[in-house]
Amino acid sequence: MFRIRRIFDDSLDVDREAIQQVRGILRNQFSQVSVKEIDKLPQQLRNPLKYRFRSILFVAEKNRHKVRGFALLMHAPDLNFCYLDFISVEPGKTGGGVGGALYERVREEASTLNSKGLFFECLPDEPNLCGMPSLIRQNRARLKFYERYGARPIVNTEYELPLKSDDTCPPHLVFDPLGKPAHLSRDDARKTVRAILERKYGAYAPPEYIDRVTESFKDDPVLIREPKYVIHEKPLSGGSVRSLERTIALVLTDQHEIHHVHERGYVESPVRVRSILKGLEGMEQMIDRIPPQHFSERIIKEVHDGAFVEYLKRVCNRIEKGRSVYPYVFPIRNAARPPKELPIRAGYYCIDTFTPLNKHAYTAAKRAVDCSLTAARAVLQGYRTAYALVRPPGHHAERRSFGGFCYFNSASVAAQFLSAHGRVAVLDIDYHHGNGTQDIFYNRADVLTVSIHGDPSFAYPYFSGFRDEKGVGNGSGFNVNIPLDEEVDGEKYRKSLSGALKRINVFRPKFLVVSLGLDTAKGDPTGSWSLSPEDFEKNGQMIGAMRMPTLIVQEGGYRIRSLGGNARHFFLGLIHGAGAPVTVPARSRTGHEQL
């Protein structure tokens, strides 16, 4: 088994290792390609426009990130075409469907880009162009494979003209119309061919050679060779290929139901998770379920005060099963001497009177953190999007206090975990201000916190979330609050979201953590806004269009009737927004493909 994954750059360890393996395949399979050309691959990914192509690298991996093959697609947005520079499997590993899956993924990407067609070079299958019978047999097999998709060589041109007198087996230029009628005008063909020759071979192809080959395209439309190997079959459409950057790693909390408070009106209930899961039904082809892993409590203590963590563990363990303890004494006058009785001491660590402690609160909250960290690790291992579907929520939990149904700040723990690998932006789109996240990162410049929420003049938690709270010390300017009016529709919300995303873009994080609240929906019992399912989809699309490794952590959302549908629309938008391409280019004049 293998999976296909797009490599966006070399910023993550897992991507650097994949690029190194790709370079190894290039060295083994394409001996004519210079070391300099192979070694510039990471720079091409980081700065594609420098090379006059936007390039996209796909790898096919098996377990433990072993690269079995790769495809390197070059996109010319100015001329609206795609060029397949390389497609290859690891030495000695032909067959197994890897090459076919990579080619289908490339075709799918080119179609997504609305390209007029996919072009690539393929060594000739004709004796008059290549005098090596064994090589001709291989070339025929390749051209037969491509012909099944409707891709055939362009004929009646001088594209096969050798660049040097001693060049052998000059390549065909193959055109794949991507399932559309194979109609390519002479002008479009000339522009495309000139771009390929100048951008790929300009360093050693003289201008007169480029002019001659380009002007040799005289037919209008250009002539495509008649089918030679697949005469009576309908061209393959290819279908959709499962690719990791279009897949959500879903980590579902498996111990949330033990934290069930039965008091009337208590809205933070297990049915919330069940409703979201139901809403995601039918999206299985876009989701990989990953079991939660165990993480040390030490990681939580990097974010939360150790005494607070130990208190929660001890008091929850002592509370009788089925009983809830609500804070009712808040010892703010003498914070240095907390009450001795653990239940009474709850107010020493709590910000409100409606968040109870019970037998399973610590266990459920700890497991929510485990899920968020598992999802964060999935991002580090190559998923572009991961979703921790957890409860209880976490964004109201501050460094040394709980409240707002929150005990541990799962999103902040995950952000801290990711920050060891680069800058992190946390975007909180819950109806209520993420006071806990703000408190935890308020003096840090490596984690940007942005929250869009109801103004604290009317919305919980009332004491934080004001616009002038911008961070302190090193964190000054790295906390952004966007409080909104009591009545907000989708259009007004998107204006604020657009501003938030612009601020995040300026910060240039390596990772984005989204605290997802679905309580911005119309009719939510804890909010006053009126976002529709379509609004959630548009919001998701805007966030997905950031095209950065993204971790989603579930926060609020309490209108059970619409909860699942809103979640579904958000994730459909997120994947759609992230689906458009990016990055890498070129090599030598010898038909760079080894299926």
Side-chain angles (χ1 to χ4, degrees):
M1 290 295 293
F2 61 89
R3 66 183 189 181
I4 292 178
R5 181 166 70 90
R6 190 160 97 197
I7 308 296
F8 288 80
D9 55 41
D10 63 343
S11 60
L12 296 180
D13 291 343
V14 66
D15 293 333
R16 281 194 293 274
E17 173 58 28
I19 292 170
Q20 188 65 22
Q21 292 182 64
V22 167
R23 290 160 70 183
I25 294 174
L26 279 168
R27 285 190 292 269
N28 277 285
Q29 299 287 67
F30 304 98
S31 58
Q32 75 282 0
V33 179
S34 69
V35 172
K36 182 179 178 181
E37 287 290 300
I38 293 173
D39 287 348
K40 76 178 184 182
L41 180 56
Q43 294 96 299
Q44 291 173 316
L45 286 166
R46 287 195 298 267
N47 187 14
L49 295 182
K50 175 181 176 182
Y51 299 92
R52 303 175 66 193
F53 277 111
R54 302 173 65 212
S55 310
I56 301 161
L57 176 63
F58 293 108
V59 296
E61 296 175 321
K62 58 183 180 182
N63 293 339
R64 300 185 182 277
H65 301 285
K66 169 65 176 172
V67 174
R68 294 191 58 190
F70 77 96
L72 187 56
L73 180 68
M74 295 155 51
H75 175 222
D78 54 334
L79 297 175
N80 193 32
F81 75 88
C82 283
Y83 182 87
L84 179 57
D85 195 13
F86 290 100
I87 183 168
S88 180
V89 298
E90 60 181 327
K93 298 292 184 181
T94 56
V98 174
L102 283 166
Y103 186 65
E104 291 187 11
R105 182 65 186 91
V106 163
R107 295 183 83 241
E108 183 181 282
E109 192 70 20
S111 296
T112 300
L113 288 164
N114 295 315
S115 295
K116 63 190 174 192
L118 173 64
F119 298 82
F120 55 93
E121 294 177 348
C122 190
L123 297 179
D125 56 351
E126 300 163 358
N128 62 315
L129 292 174
C130 184
M132 294 177 277
S134 61
L135 187 56
I136 287 179
R137 285 194 296 273
Q138 295 175 21
N139 298 342
R140 285 174 176 169
R142 294 186 187 111
L143 284 164
K144 179 179 180 180
F145 168 81
Y146 292 124
E147 200 171 286
R148 294 170 60 219
Y149 292 93
R152 306 193 301 275
I154 298 173
V155 296
N156 202 27
T157 77
E158 291 191 73
Y159 195 88
E160 294 84 2
L161 180 71
L163 182 58
K164 299 176 182 177
S165 58
D166 57 349
D167 282 350
T168 58
C169 297
H172 292 306
L173 180 64
V174 179
F175 173 60
D176 185 338
L178 303 173
K180 296 172 288 190
H183 185 282
L184 181 64
S185 73
R186 179 184 60 200
D187 288 346
D188 279 347
R190 285 181 172 181
K191 291 175 184 177
T192 298
V193 168
R194 182 172 293 279
I196 292 170
L197 295 178
E198 289 180 346
R199 300 178 192 188
K200 274 181 55 63
Y201 305 115
Y204 41 86
E208 56 271 21
Y209 174 88
I210 294 174
D211 289 342
R212 178 177 171 178
V213 173
T214 300
E215 294 302 317
S216 73
F217 284 71
K218 299 183 183 300
D219 299 307
D220 193 11
V222 299
L223 296 181
I224 311 298
R225 193 172 79 178
E226 290 297 317
K228 191 173 181 179
Y229 304 106
V230 186
I231 307 295
H232 301 294
E233 293 183 24
K234 183 179 178 181
L236 295 176
S237 62
S240 181
V241 179
R242 184 76 174 270
S243 192
L244 211 60
E245 81 279 355
R246 294 180 175 179
T247 303
I248 302 167
L250 171 63
V251 186
L252 173 65
T253 179
D254 55 358
Q255 295 184 16
H256 75 95
E257 299 219 20
I258 62 174
H259 179 62
H260 191 177
V261 180
H262 293 275
E263 278 88 343
R264 181 185 294 274
Y266 194 82
V267 295
E268 210 296 284
S269 60
V271 70
R272 297 178 58 239
V273 170
R274 295 196 294 270
S275 297
I276 292 173
L277 278 177
K278 187 170 180 60
L280 299 181
E281 287 179 358
M283 294 177 61
E284 289 81 5
Q285 76 280 6
M286 303 167 63
I287 292 174
D288 280 349
R289 290 281 288 267
I290 297 177
Q293 301 160 358
H294 171 78
F295 288 82
S296 168
E297 194 181 75
R298 173 188 55 79
I299 301 177
I300 297 177
K301 291 179 180 178
E302 293 178 13
V303 162
H304 289 291
D305 179 76
F308 163 63
V309 175
E310 291 300 324
Y311 167 75
L312 271 185
K313 183 163 57 174
R314 288 169 56 209
V315 72
C316 291
N317 186 56
R318 293 188 185 186
I319 295 175
E320 181 183 342
K321 188 175 180 179
R323 179 176 173 234
S324 292
V325 173
Y326 290 86
Y328 64 95
V329 175
F330 296 84
I332 60 173
R333 293 181 180 272
N334 192 347
R337 300 180 68 179
K340 295 187 185 303
E341 291 290 327
L342 291 179
I344 297 176
R345 199 188 301 179
Y348 183 67
Y349 289 114
C350 192
I351 63 173
D352 59 41
T353 60
F354 61 81
T355 303
L357 295 176
N358 56 40
K359 186 73 174 176
H360 299 299
Y362 170 86
T363 302
K366 170 64 168 61
R367 196 56 167 172
V369 170
D370 285 344
C371 291
S372 298
L373 290 171
T374 303
R377 180 174 283 172
V379 170
L380 293 176
Q381 293 175 341
Y383 285 90
R384 296 294 287 185
T385 307
Y387 176 33
L389 176 49
V390 300
R391 61 169 293 275
H395 72 145
H396 292 307
E398 298 182 349
R399 181 165 182 79
R400 61 173 306 278
S401 63
F402 66 97
F405 309 141
C406 305
Y407 303 93
F408 292 140
N409 197 317
S410 299
S412 291
V413 177
Q416 169 68 17
F417 183 75
L418 291 171
S419 71
H421 303 271
R423 286 150 67 100
V424 180
V426 182
L427 173 64
D428 193 317
I429 53 173
D430 191 276
Y431 175 83
H432 307 91
H433 176 238
N435 58 289
T437 309
Q438 172 175 300
D439 173 71
I440 288 165
F441 296 113
Y442 205 57
N443 63 350
R444 287 175 55 171
D446 62 325
V447 179
L448 172 71
T449 51
V450 183
S451 180
I452 306 172
H453 52 267
D455 193 287
S457 64
F458 62 83
Y460 183 90
Y462 306 110
F463 58 81
S464 72
F466 297 95
R467 199 175 292 273
D468 60 357
E469 296 169 349
K470 298 181 179 180
V472 296
N474 292 334
S476 181
F478 293 94
N479 185 80
V480 179
N481 286 326
I482 307 175
L484 301 182
D485 297 335
E486 198 160 358
E487 294 185 4
V488 171
D489 61 12
E491 184 178 355
K492 184 172 182 179
Y493 189 90
R494 283 189 292 280
K495 288 180 181 178
S496 296
L497 179 59
S498 177
L501 297 178
K502 286 177 182 177
R503 177 64 182 91
I504 290 170
N505 252 333
V506 170
F507 182 66
R508 297 179 65 83
K510 186 179 288 188
F511 306 99
L512 176 64
V513 176
V514 178
S515 288
L516 174 62
L518 299 171
D519 46 5
T520 54
K522 182 177 181 179
D524 190 277
T526 69
S528 60
W529 296 346
S530 57
L531 272 62
S532 68
E534 292 72 23
D535 293 323
F536 282 100
E537 186 161 341
K538 291 175 181 177
N539 294 345
Q541 192 165 344
M542 291 172 68
I543 294 170
M546 299 286 283
R547 297 183 190 130
M548 63 179 64
T550 301
L551 167 63
I552 314 291
V553 180
Q554 187 62 49
E555 300 290 354
Y558 305 98
R559 187 173 189 263
I560 303 305
R561 286 175 54 194
S562 62
L563 196 56
N566 290 335
R568 177 186 180 84
H569 278 272
F570 175 82
F571 283 104
L572 287 173
L574 191 77
I575 290 295
H576 183 257
V582 197
T583 43
V584 7
R587 307 306 170 199
S588 144
R589 184 95 167 90
T590 47
H592 295 152
E593 50 83 31
Q594 290 285 340
L595 286 179

